[in-house]
Amino acid sequence: MKEEIEKVLAELDELKCLTRKEVEDARVRFLGKKGEVTALFEQFRTVGPEMKREYGRKLNELKQTVTAKIEEFRASVSDNAESDGPKEDLTMPGDAFEPGSRHPVSIVRQQIVEIFRKFGYDVAEGPEIEDDYHVFEALNFPPNHPARDMQDTFFVSTGHVNPLLLRTHTSSVQVREMESQPLPIRVICPGRVFRNEAISARAHCIFHQVEGLYIDKNVTFADLKQAILLFAREMFGPDAEIRMRPSYFPFTEPSSEVDVSCNICHGKGCNICKGTGWLEILGCGMVDPNVLEASGIDSKVYSGFAFGMGVERIAMLKWQVNDLRHYFENDMRFLREFSTATEV
Ligand code: PHE
């Protein structure tokens, strides 16, 4: 038994452990259930009583020496984290970190807001769930106007005088401004609007608008025309021209729809402007005196203009996107095209 103890000590002298795995292998080899030191303890049971004391002491010393040595190796390899070999191949290219970017609709909305801010407009927001009064009644919609029909409007609650609904335009925010703000008012109202329309390349049941309102003494149609022209030139370039076509809205009189000269063919006629050289961008008009009076503004002293545009429509024209649905589907291949766009 003496020789066996010496043999183990000699092996221990030779032992070298460079990795955690080698340390663990050595522990199993000497101290494991079938390890060499464990085997010697088994053998110790057969030793005669006269030798028990001496061998007992030797064996215990051996076990301590082996344990100490293995602990020493364990400490030295754990100092060196790479001793198992690196867990990962550090020479591999890293996973690309893809930062998010702003949605094209947000980019254009922000541009529209910035342009009007430069002109001195404030920004106002209001509730998306509105009542009939602020969306229709206060804006001079006759009781049987088709926009009030279930076909066009999502109602949240019906059956009473002032039902709740999802706003169909942000003109409702303009009403709230007229009710609550001191005159003069110069404000734009960006926000999400809802219409009960079949989804197609040109229409969606949810889209975004920026509507504007200016009320002061002596505001005229000429002021409106100038504001829209300046906006069009900021948005579509210094050569942009506008034309106004007579139109109808219950809340403005006179009313007009505005086209901007096609920024793709510059008036020559292409498939985006359908050969006309003009693209429709917004609706506008002089605020109807009934609308001013409904919000407690004296229409004999004050006048004003209002306008409203669809953000997706402006974005489509700027980027020549021919299907509105791209803006809602969040296809990364589409969105990535705008990841570096700070300017359209
Ligand atoms: N509110 C109108 C719409 O949603 C747009 C508009 C606003 C027209 C202001 C004229 C004046 O279609």
Side-chain angles (χ1 to χ4, degrees), residues 46-188:
T46 62
V47 169
E50 67 289 359
M51 302 298 280
K52 267 228 154 54
R53 201 184 162 85
E54 190 191 338
Y55 278 125
R57 193 173 46 78
K58 281 209 160 115
L59 266 184
N60 280 329
E61 272 175 19
L62 176 70
K63 191 175 177 184
Q64 276 168 18
T65 315
V66 173
T67 309
K69 184 102 179 176
I70 286 176
E71 280 312 310
E72 208 176 286
F73 278 128
R74 204 192 294 283
S76 78
V77 299
S78 64
D79 278 352
N80 180 357
E82 288 191 16
S83 51
D84 272 355
K87 291 229 165 34
E88 282 152 22
D89 180 355
L90 300 179
T91 63
M92 293 277 281
D95 286 337
F97 173 65
E98 191 166 17
S101 59
R102 284 169 69 212
H103 191 280
V105 170
S106 303
I107 296 172
V108 172
R109 173 187 145 135
Q110 192 57 27
Q111 282 183 335
I112 300 170
V113 168
E114 285 309 319
I115 291 169
F116 282 104
R117 242 209 261 267
K118 272 202 284 191
F119 297 167
Y121 285 70
D122 292 329
V123 180
E125 292 192 25
E128 292 180 345
I129 301 176
E130 258 293 5
D131 54 24
D132 179 277
Y133 177 80
H134 287 91
V135 176
F136 297 128
E137 187 76 33
L139 287 161
N140 205 33
F141 278 80
N144 297 319
H145 193 281
R148 289 183 148 168
D149 199 303
M150 291 281 248
Q151 301 298 317
D152 295 297
T153 303
F154 291 111
F155 283 89
V156 175
S157 72
T158 48
H160 45 91
V161 245
N162 192 17
L164 291 179
L165 43 87
L166 301 183
R167 66 182 180 195
T168 56
H169 52 187
T170 59
S171 305
S172 51
V173 185
Q174 302 181 339
V175 174
R176 289 185 178 276
E177 289 294 295
M178 287 190 283
E179 287 172 346
S180 64
Q181 296 303 313
L183 295 163
I185 291 173
R186 199 188 280 158
V187 73
I188 47 166

Side-chain angles (χ1 to χ4, degrees), residues 220-278:
T220 68
F221 200 91
D223 297 321
L224 168 61
K225 196 173 168 189
Q226 187 64 11
I228 302 296
L229 178 64
L230 289 177
F231 164 72
R233 290 192 171 162
E234 289 280 329
M235 194 70 193
F236 294 98
D239 299 331
E241 294 294 344
I242 58 166
R243 76 174 181 185
M244 300 181 105
R245 288 176 286 109
S247 186
Y248 172 77
F249 299 102
F251 35 90
T252 46
E253 180 59 36
S255 303
S256 165
E257 261 161 277
V258 179
D259 300 335
V260 66
S261 49
C262 180
N263 60 328
I264 297 143
C265 64
H266 300 284
K268 287 191 204 76
C270 66
N271 61 350
I272 300 280
C273 62
K274 301 206 181 68
T276 63
W278 296 96

